[in-house]
Amino acid sequence: MTDAKYFTTTKKGEIAELKAELQSEKRDRKKEAVKKVIASMTVGKDVSALFPDVVNCMQTDNLELKKLVYLYLMNYAKSQPDLAILAVNTFVKDCEDPNPLIRALAVRTMGCIRVDKITEYLCEPLRKCLKDEDPYVRKTAAVCVAKLHDINSSLVEDQGFLDLLRDLLSDSNPMVVANAVASLSEISDTSPTDAAQFDLTSAIVNKLLTALNECTEWGQIFILDSLATYSPNEEREAQSICERVTPRLSHANAAVVLSAVKVLMKFMELLPPDSEHLTSLTRKLAPPLVTLLSTEPEIQYVSLRNINLVVQKRPEILQNEMKVFFVKYNDPIYVKLEKLDIMIRLTTAANIAQVLAELKEYATEVDVDFVRKSVRAIGRCAIKVEQAAERCVTTLLELIQTKVNYVVQEAIVVIKDIFRKYPNKYESVISTLCENLDSLDEPDAKASMIWIVGEYAERIDNADELLRSFLEGFQDESTMVQLQLLTAIVKLFLKKPTETQELVQQVLNLATQESDNPDLRDRGYIYWRLLSTDPAAAREVVLAEKPLISEETDKLEPSLLDELICHISTLASVYHKPPSAFVEGKTPVRRMTLPQKAEPSASESTEVAPPGAGFAGAGFAGAGFAGAGFAGAGFAGAGFAGAGFAGA
């Protein structure tokens, strides 16, 4: 019969019955009783009243019974600290038992009992177990030091346990080394004191690399993660470490592979750009990353988030592997979107035709989110690869002709960006865009269309009619659309002053008198004052030449990217945020970054502000005027009568 029977009994007087059974002289009855106690504890019953009776069962040679009693102790010691001290003598005695399994079990349990009174009794048994002849006991004791440090850090440092842990780095057993590394890393991350920092030296690194080949997979991860924090003294040492870590790339465990990638990505920074070794590493990194994409979707997603960082830092690693990022019909949406992002990052003039054909196919899928992202991706391709811009615009126009509402709206948003990148080149498509005005119902698409009409008002015969149609529902529009409409009508007025004076007066009144939004009101007052005092200055500000937008705007900032490369295979690399942004603790998270390159690299391209306000280049960052001294009443509309625009 299985142990399931212990979970089915619920009757009155059970505690008294169990108490009697626990005091029985018969070992089998005692074991049965302890099993029933553990079963009751597991389903949430309070069996703390049996504490003294269960503790008495510790005095046994039966390993199974001892494990059950220790399990009970771990659960109830915190609520019964005074009674828990009764077990200390047995722990100390068990730490000297001839059976290494019992010695390890005793020290592990003592580390899990988070009671200050017991902690001081743990020191001597732990010190003995750290020097135990059996590697299983030593590796268990190594982890126990980290647990003890979490309970009482000053005790661990004063008792010299950190030095004993560092001695274990030279142990002959690789699992002991791995656990010592795991403990030291944990202590180093959580302790503010210098004494607890885990600083690697060349000698220690050599020992870790020797143990690396014989560890379990999780031991390998601990060692690789600690190697990633090491800064080699010279190029040759970095090269040697890379050679010894490279075999881990073919491991079956994805976590081992990503930890090895992290070490290699960091040390590649120390190799000269033209070295053969760097070229060889670049070639070796591609196959393992590609292999990660044949796993289950959840691991694929984590791998893709990490690959995204690798591609941003070193696109040459996967430049010939575009096809593996093509979306499969049965991929979950989160994998599809991530693959799409990496496809754009790998797009070049050489493979653009292949990518565009794929994206056009994706734009006819049924998944709305995926279709939207695919249409935007076509626009990003146009901005990234100038030679293919015309082909991308043609593809977008074909998609607009499908008249699928959300496709049309996304296409208009990306065409606006293409106009920003290539001014006066593709304006012939404006008429096609204007035909779809009535179908726009999303703020992004409306704002983009309004920007296009305002920017190219002189080429659109009925620009004033188009903008007036948007103005009719001004109060119901989102802030983004209202701001864009205000700027577009002022642009139109500066280009065609005689025909649109009434229209600009209307929008300025709406923005300044009937809006509660400070950004909109302040922008309205600024325009009003500019137009009424110095129309020439208004023209310079509002119609200033805008900087070209860059494809790089969606890239991570270089310093953040370097930090995230150091955190590959952790949550930070999935969130694309540094650990300090989402980890809270007693001590701040230490910031890690890549070492300086062997030779300085070309400067990174800078990000450019989005179109938005029409103030680009003039120093007026859209919402920057919120409440900045332009209190509504200050301008009370007086003195800015319609006639004030004469001669503009």
Side-chain angles (χ1 to χ4, degrees), residues 533-584:
T533 55
D534 192 348
R539 185 177 291 276
E540 281 179 34
V541 170
V542 181
L543 300 181
E545 193 172 318
K546 289 153 197 72
L548 301 181
I549 63 168
S550 157
E551 186 272 331
E552 308 298 328
T553 49
D554 66 318
K555 273 194 170 183
L556 292 168
E557 186 198 342
S559 61
L560 174 60
L561 179 60
D562 285 355
E563 187 176 353
L564 291 178
I565 291 287
C566 294
H567 291 292
I568 280 177
S569 82
T570 68
L571 268 181
S573 65
V574 178
Y575 291 155
H576 286 190
K577 288 179 181 177
S580 54
F582 60 88
V583 175
E584 287 184 0

Side-chain angles (χ1 to χ4, degrees), residues 42-289:
T42 307
V43 295
K45 285 186 195 168
D46 182 13
V47 283
S48 56
L50 299 169
F51 199 95
D53 302 289
V54 176
V55 169
N56 285 336
C57 297
M58 285 174 77
Q59 307 286 351
T60 175
D61 300 331
N62 187 302
L63 188 59
E64 186 185 3
L65 180 55
K66 204 175 269 290
K67 279 183 178 177
L68 292 169
V69 173
Y70 280 176
L71 192 61
Y72 177 90
L73 268 172
M74 280 189 260
N75 199 50
Y76 282 113
K78 201 159 191 180
S79 60
Q80 306 265 4
D82 295 330
L83 289 172
I85 292 180
L86 299 173
V88 166
N89 284 337
T90 311
F91 280 133
V92 174
K93 191 176 163 194
D94 282 353
C95 284
E96 294 176 0
D97 194 276
N99 185 341
L101 291 176
I102 290 179
R103 296 201 297 275
L105 182 63
V107 79
R108 178 188 292 130
T109 308
M110 284 181 86
C112 291
I113 296 176
R114 303 177 66 82
V115 176
D116 290 335
K117 290 180 180 177
I118 289 185
T119 308
E120 55 200 67
Y121 296 105
L122 174 61
C123 294
E124 278 315 306
L126 179 58
R127 187 175 279 108
K128 284 179 185 171
C129 288
L130 283 167
K131 297 175 180 175
D132 198 279
E133 59 187 23
D134 192 282
Y136 180 73
V137 180
R138 293 199 301 275
K139 86 177 183 71
T140 308
V143 175
C144 190
V145 174
K147 290 177 181 174
L148 184 60
H149 185 273
D150 192 41
I151 302 166
N152 190 338
S153 54
S154 55
L155 181 72
V156 169
E157 289 166 27
D158 296 343
Q159 291 283 334
F161 285 127
L162 293 177
D163 293 328
L164 289 172
L165 262 187
R166 291 188 182 105
D167 291 344
L168 289 183
L169 294 173
S170 309
D171 199 278
S172 57
N173 186 290
M175 266 319 299
V176 177
V177 176
N179 279 16
V181 168
S183 276
L184 284 166
S185 301
E186 174 85 12
I187 291 167
S188 179
D189 286 343
T190 56
S191 174
T193 62
D194 291 336
Q197 296 311 308
F198 180 30
D199 297 317
L200 293 176
T201 62
S202 306
I204 292 173
V205 166
N206 272 328
K207 290 169 188 169
L208 297 188
L209 287 166
T210 305
L212 187 62
N213 299 323
E214 300 166 49
C215 280
T216 64
E217 50 197 20
W218 300 111
Q220 290 178 32
I221 293 164
F222 290 133
I223 290 176
L224 288 168
D225 285 350
S226 63
L227 287 174
T229 64
Y230 177 61
S231 298
N233 300 319
E234 53 180 7
E235 181 198 326
R236 188 178 296 173
E237 189 183 1
Q239 202 168 315
S240 164
I241 293 171
C242 288
E243 279 172 8
R244 294 173 74 177
V245 167
T246 305
R248 301 299 107 212
L249 292 172
S250 55
H251 201 283
N253 186 321
V256 176
V257 174
L258 284 173
S259 290
V261 169
K262 169 167 60 182
V263 175
L264 297 175
M265 285 293 290
K266 182 173 180 181
F267 290 173
M268 282 165 82
E269 294 294 304
L270 299 166
L271 305 177
D274 52 352
S275 76
E276 280 181 32
H277 196 71
L278 185 64
T279 314
S280 163
L281 276 178
T282 304
R283 204 168 49 246
K284 286 175 183 172
L285 273 170
L289 291 173

